[in-house]
Amino acid sequence: DQQVKQNSPSLSVQEGRISILNCDYTNSMFDYFLWYKKYPAEGPTFLISISSIKDKNEDGRFTVFLNKSAKHLSLHIVPSQPGDSAVYFCAASAGKIIFGKGTRLHILP
Amino acid sequence: EAGVAQSPRYKIIEKRQSVAFWCNPISGHATLYWYQQILGQGPKLLIQFQNNGVVDDSQLPKDRFSAERLKGVDSTLKIQPAKLEDSAVYLCASSGGYGFGEKLFFGSGTQLSVL
């Protein structure tokens, strides 16, 4: 039973353009959502989060949008840079943090 | 500030052997987590400690996996006996609190190959 779903295994985006990573969830009890970024041979690192009482949170080039009625959130990266190439995990918390399978983002030169 | 330390980085064993992983969390972090990440999957929580007490171990295969956190600091995760399906990266993470929106700090992980 996958409570946090990232349906796109990979995404390729031109450098300088916008990257949009999507995430869906099924459990309405989740009260916090987080995005983590992972480089090869390293552990995931925290990127940005959003509380369920908000619909948007912005931090520099990164913005997370939450649509509670659709149980959907997205991460926008603008502009995309080569160093953004990594695996991005969506995670949701109801005390315990549950991760999606991840989306591999490739930034093309 | 030192991050979460894990050792070893890599481990290759044969099935039915035993193996142990070690984790030293960020100083002062009360909560410690062990996650299992199988190739192509997201991290799956195995066990969560608050200080030296277990908060959640619902997904820990207790017939073969065990974990302890002595004195509320370092932790070890053990597998005995290992199976082929245990091949994965084992990630340790820590956080300063518990629950709502906690930001986890991860170590680099231990990559386990069971042959």
Side-chain angles (χ1 to χ4, degrees):
Chain A
D1 177 28
Q2 211 179 332
Q3 298 186 59
V4 179
K5 301 176 185 178
Q6 294 178 259
N7 292 318
S8 299
S10 67
L11 176 69
S12 294
V13 174
Q14 208 77 33
E15 182 180 353
R17 297 287 186 104
I18 182 172
S19 295
I20 301 175
L21 295 96
N22 293 303
C23 178
D24 297 296
Y25 62 95
T26 57
N27 188 348
S28 56
M29 297 301 292
F30 288 139
D31 51 16
Y32 224 86
F33 303 89
L34 310 96
W35 285 93
Y36 283 81
K37 175 179 177 179
K38 186 182 183 304
Y39 293 120
E42 295 183 11
T45 55
F46 172 79
L47 195 56
I48 192 169
S49 63
I50 187 167
S51 163
S52 61
I53 62 172
K54 296 187 175 181
D55 55 19
K56 177 182 174 181
N57 189 27
E58 194 171 351
D59 184 1
R61 296 187 298 115
F62 303 92
T63 304
V64 56
F65 296 92
L66 175 63
N67 182 335
K68 283 187 67 178
S69 61
K71 293 191 175 69
H72 177 85
L73 64 156
S74 60
L75 174 68
H76 293 213
I77 307 174
V78 183
S80 299
Q81 297 176 353
D84 296 330
S85 292
V87 176
Y88 290 78
F89 290 102
C90 171
S93 172
K96 181 165 74 174
I97 298 176
I98 297 174
F99 286 80
K101 290 186 177 183
T103 296
R104 184 176 300 277
L105 176 64
H106 300 270
I107 304 301
L108 307 171
Chain B
E1 177 185 78
V4 176
Q6 287 189 249
S7 67
R9 284 301 307 272
Y10 305 93
K11 191 72 178 178
I12 300 174
I13 62 172
E14 295 188 350
K15 59 183 179 183
R16 290 187 290 273
Q17 286 187 322
S18 62
V19 64
F21 313 125
W22 173 82
C23 173
N24 182 246
I26 291 173
S27 177
H29 276 192
T31 309
L32 185 146
Y33 311 76
W34 282 102
Y35 280 86
Q36 179 194 57
Q37 187 180 8
I38 293 172
L39 189 64
Q41 304 287 321
K44 181 182 89 170
L45 179 67
L46 293 176
I47 189 167
Q48 179 178 341
F49 292 95
Q50 177 78 4
N51 296 309
N52 57 347
V54 175
V55 173
D56 188 326
D57 63 357
S58 57
Q59 296 193 95
L60 186 74
K62 297 180 187 65
D63 58 334
R64 299 184 300 108
F65 285 64
S66 64
E68 60 180 6
R69 188 181 186 196
L70 298 175
K71 299 180 181 178
V73 182
D74 292 9
S75 177
T76 56
L77 176 69
K78 296 179 182 177
I79 308 175
Q80 182 180 12
K83 292 185 175 181
L84 296 177
E85 59 260 36
D86 298 332
S87 293
V89 175
Y90 290 84
L91 293 162
C92 179
S94 69
S95 68
Y98 165 72
F100 189 79
E102 274 302 312
K103 184 167 98 174
L104 305 186
F105 295 83
F106 283 88
S108 296
T110 295
Q111 185 166 336
L112 174 67
S113 297
V114 182
L115 308 178

